Amino acid sequence: MLRYVPTGMELCAVITQVELARRLRFSRLNVGLSQEAVAAELGVPRPTISQIESGKRGVGSLELAKLAELYHYPLTAFFAEDFQQALSDDPLAPLFRLAEFQPLDRAVVAEFVDRCRAYTDLEAILERGGTTLLPDYSSIGEPQNRLEAVRQGERVAAEERRRLGSGDDPMRNVLVLLDAQGIRAFVRPLRTGGISGLFLCHPSTGPSILVNGADPNDGLAACTAHQYAHLLLDRRLEARVCAAGSLRRDSEKRDELLEVRAGSFAAAFLLPPAGAERFLRDRGRVRRRRHALDLLDVFCLHRAFGLGFDATIWRLESLGWLDAGRRAEFTRYRPERLAKALGLPEQQAEDIVGRYPLHYLSLAMEAYRRGEISLGKLSELLGQDLMEARELVWDLGLEPEAALVPRAG
């Protein structure tokens, strides 16, 4: 009987070809890939994958390595003594079960999870773990209808603003706010099915969110606040993928009610009633004259508070500042045209973010300064080549022999 013992993995379980076949099939299904998709990646006919998964054909070491990469599992997972435990330890599996990501997006999500794991590892190395300040509002219970979902979202948003001491002022940068609370918040472009973002809460990653930076319908800040709501209210689910614009306004389904609640939180968190009242009052607008708001009022409010343009219009209607007719009229306008006409950038300054959270960068640099990680590891964590990383640590004076002096030119 054929037995597999991968080179350099002598401590792994010795398994039969049939057992390896079963594990490979389970792994493929666990990440939501079809046999056709796997065959295309390996450059083989689909029946070949079927034969491998039925144990009728062996799998070569190079093929196995490619399958491990494709399924985003370490090669050792296929030979682990407790295979089910090895899979449960992988945070990618629930995400890939929740959505059928395009190949490029699968790589983006995998990179996101890798960065979150590195974030957690750096905290452990520097003994800075357990600093997450995130409260848990799950005791509020699940909403039973849309009205309850809206009210729960608004209630938690008001409580969070009180906890954070934000008053009714605009949130200048939600991503920085989350970073300060130990949340791993990344922005990456995603093209699959209008996905606005996802959240993950796993022991190996900590509380993490990925926001679609390609073209979020309601703005970067709103999409970030939406995922923040899920972490506050729904992290018992461990993972969730949110699709933009997928809700039906008459639906009472559980999953969609959770989305309604998160959307309500985002709107109330970014644009609190008193904040809108003060802003519009300073512009000479009063609530009793709902028709008095003009397009520029709405646009300026949208820009000041970071809520998406359409979301701002709906929010103003729910707060009694617009009637349905005026709301319908304003939704025909596009903020990009207004921004261009006013000579403003299309993207708000507070929406412009770096590739990595500031705290993540700080942890990586501190770990290198203490000699806990090599320059090569630092360059990997920062997504730079070795020369770029060396220039950076030289400029920052993190090398013992480096002087912190201005660079020439």
Side-chain angles (χ1 to χ4, degrees), residues 185-206:
F186 291 80
V187 179
R188 296 289 187 273
L190 294 171
R191 306 292 179 179
T192 301
I195 290 174
S196 61
L198 57 87
F199 90 83
L200 179 65
C201 200
H202 188 274
S204 68
T205 64

Side-chain angles (χ1 to χ4, degrees), residues 173-365:
N173 193 314
V174 183
L175 287 161
V176 172
L177 174 70
L178 268 57
D179 188 37
Q181 297 187 83
I183 299 171
R184 296 84 163 97
F186 291 80
V187 179
R188 296 289 187 273
L190 294 171
R191 306 292 179 179
T192 301
I195 290 174
S196 61
L198 57 87
F199 90 83
L200 179 65
C201 200
H202 188 274
S204 68
T205 64
S208 312
I209 68 170
L210 176 63
V211 179
N212 185 358
D215 187 19
N217 288 354
D218 289 329
L220 185 61
C223 290
T224 304
H226 188 104
Q227 299 307 321
Y228 184 35
H230 282 309
L231 278 179
L232 293 170
L233 288 154
D234 305 317
R235 61 180 181 269
R236 69 193 180 284
L237 301 177
E238 296 185 353
R240 188 173 183 85
V241 178
C242 302
S246 63
L247 301 183
R248 298 204 326 270
R249 297 186 67 80
D250 60 346
S251 174
E252 298 290 330
K253 293 181 179 179
R254 171 185 176 273
D255 279 354
E256 293 198 8
L257 289 177
L258 297 184
E259 291 301 298
V260 170
R261 183 169 68 180
S264 172
F265 171 91
F269 187 69
L270 293 176
L271 185 53
E277 184 98 23
R278 185 174 65 251
F279 183 90
L280 294 172
R281 184 179 64 244
D282 290 345
R283 294 179 62 85
R285 308 308 189 210
V286 292
R287 188 192 301 272
R288 66 177 178 272
R289 297 179 59 200
R290 290 180 295 176
H291 64 283
L293 294 190
D294 59 29
L295 187 62
L296 188 58
D297 293 326
V298 177
F299 179 79
C300 290
L301 191 67
H302 141 69
R303 280 288 178 133
F305 283 84
L307 190 60
F309 184 72
D310 288 347
T312 299
I313 294 170
W314 284 100
R315 179 69 172 152
L316 287 172
E317 184 186 20
S318 71
L319 294 176
W321 285 93
L322 294 175
D323 57 28
R326 198 69 163 159
R327 181 257 301 159
E329 177 185 344
F330 285 161
T331 53
R332 291 198 294 268
Y333 293 91
R334 299 311 328 140
E336 297 83 4
R337 294 182 59 188
L338 290 172
K340 185 176 181 180
L342 294 169
L344 297 172
E346 291 187 9
Q347 189 179 38
Q348 291 175 255
E350 58 266 32
D351 280 354
I352 300 174
V353 295
R355 183 165 175 78
Y356 302 111
L358 290 174
H359 190 52
Y360 172 86
L361 296 174
S362 175
L363 289 170
M365 301 302 290

